[in-house]
Amino acid sequence: MTSGSDEPVDCERWASERATLDREYPLADLPRLRDVLADPGGTLRARFEFARDARGRAIATVTIEATARWRCERCGLSFERPLRSSSDVEFVADERAEPSDGDREPVVAPGGRVRLADLAEEEFLLAAPLAPSCDEPERCARAPRPARESVAAAPATRRPFDGLRDLLQKTDRT
Ligand SMILES: [Zn+2]
């Protein structure tokens, strides 16, 4: 495991060598995660498996794993949960380039170089829940509700639109 230094790496070279690179980043060092997490404690482990596709283009599988602290959208309390994710990417020269394989995410690598931390950060953001929930109905119910949820008298396990559907069904019957 290497950490620290994060100069852009030569993806063409690593693709030719079919290299697997492992990195570790403190979550606090990845600035775009600041707005997503309850606090920046924790470490992101990332693996980059470089290769070439059938047409000789530089590709990689990016796999990340982190235990992060999220803030529950419902009760506002923070909770810890692991995040794991993996994506296949293809390195392209600029934003206009289309990846040759539709299943691969294009990653712009100016001059064939990328910062691995950027790749890891992007993968984390792709996989991060849009509305994190602690999924602990008891804890959620005990916690003071944010003001905007004061109308929601339904049990914590219900989704907001269930109530609306009940309401519509009742209206239909009258
Ligand atoms: Zn909660």
Side-chain angles (χ1 to χ4, degrees):
M1 289 277 176
T2 319
S3 57
S5 136
D6 198 49
E7 293 300 305
V9 301
D10 185 344
C11 28
E12 293 297 330
R13 177 188 153 200
W14 294 128
S16 294
E17 295 187 8
R18 300 184 61 85
T20 295
L21 307 180
D22 288 314
R23 293 286 187 275
E24 278 191 18
Y25 306 100
L27 293 176
D29 284 0
L30 303 172
R32 286 193 296 158
L33 305 190
R34 231 165 260 160
D35 295 339
V36 179
L37 299 174
D39 72 62
T43 303
L44 185 156
R45 286 172 299 282
R47 169 163 286 188
F48 308 89
E49 294 164 276
F50 288 87
R52 289 202 182 273
D53 70 3
R55 301 170 72 178
R57 301 181 204 219
I59 58 173
T61 300
V62 180
T63 306
I64 60 134
E65 187 181 30
T67 295
R69 292 198 66 80
W70 313 87
R71 186 159 314 281
C72 175
E73 279 280 293
R74 188 177 290 272
C75 65
L77 297 176
S78 69
F79 64 99
E80 198 172 272
R81 184 169 299 159
L83 184 73
R84 287 184 194 85
S85 181
S86 187
S87 287
D88 293 320
V89 303
E90 175 178 334
F91 301 103
V92 296
D94 59 55
E95 263 134 34
R96 286 161 302 173
E98 289 285 323
S100 54
D101 177 339
D103 290 338
R104 293 205 179 97
E105 295 286 332
V107 168
V108 178
R113 292 179 160 266
V114 280
R115 282 183 74 233
L116 295 179
D118 290 345
L119 274 182
E121 189 180 49
E122 188 65 31
E123 186 61 29
F124 187 102
L125 287 170
L126 274 174
L130 288 175
S133 168
C134 68
D135 288 333
E136 290 180 43
E138 287 211 358
R139 191 175 98 141
C140 258
R142 274 203 314 272
R145 290 169 187 280
R148 65 193 157 87
E149 285 203 354
S150 57
V151 283
T157 48
R158 298 184 59 161
R159 294 181 183 281
F161 290 106
D162 286 355
L164 189 65
R165 197 174 55 211
D166 291 350
L167 208 65
L168 288 171
Q169 281 166 353
K170 274 176 202 148
T171 315
D172 284 349
R173 275 184 228 119
T174 52

